[in-house]
Amino acid sequence: MGGSARKLIVVDDDPVDVRFVMRAFSDAGSMIEITHVADAELASDRLDREAFDYILLDINMPGTSGMDLLKRLRGRTRTAVTPVIMLSSSSSTADVNRAYENGANAYAVKPSTRSGYRDFAEGFTRFWVDVAVSP
C-alpha cells in the first residue's frame, strides 16, 4: 500500500500495556505512526483537533471510561466512522456486547505475552491496513 503512513491513537492509562503495544507494532515492521494518550478526556480533545485512521481504546481508565469515550466519538462527525478497536483486559460478555452496541468495530482482549502482542499487531496491520477499505 502506498501513500502516507496510517495514524493510530492508543488511549490507555497503563504504561506497561502501552509499551507492549508500541514495541509489538515496531517488531511487526508496521509503518503505522502511533500516538499515545493516557486518558479519555485528553484523547477526546486530541481527536477533536487531529485526524487519526484508527483508535485503539482501553475500557477501564480513571475518570471517563473508554466506553463513554466511544459513545462520544460515535456522536461526532469527525470520528463517527473512524475504526475503533477496543483492547481491554476484560473478557466479560457484557463488556464485549456493550462495546459493539456503542459502535466499536472490533474487540480484543489484551494479550498476556510479548509474542501475543506481536500477533495482535501483525493481525491488526494485516487486516486494518492491508485488507480493510478505510472510510
Side-chain angles (χ1 to χ4, degrees), residues 41-112:
E41 290 306 324
L42 290 171
S44 182
D45 293 346
R46 187 81 183 257
L47 286 157
D48 262 350
R49 297 189 318 269
E50 198 177 332
F52 287 88
D53 298 291
Y54 319 101
I55 301 164
L56 196 58
L57 184 54
D58 185 24
I59 293 178
N60 300 310
M61 294 182 284
T64 305
S65 75
M67 209 64 83
D68 290 335
L69 178 59
L70 174 63
K71 286 185 223 170
R72 191 184 304 172
L73 295 174
R74 289 306 183 222
R76 294 182 184 163
T77 306
R78 185 195 263 286
T79 53
V81 296
T82 303
V84 176
I85 297 84
M86 306 305 284
L87 184 61
S88 176
S89 51
S90 169
S91 58
S92 111
T93 306
D95 283 340
V96 173
N97 289 344
R98 252 178 62 227
Y100 284 115
E101 284 162 9
N102 288 311
N105 297 88
Y107 190 105
V109 176
K110 287 181 178 177
S112 55

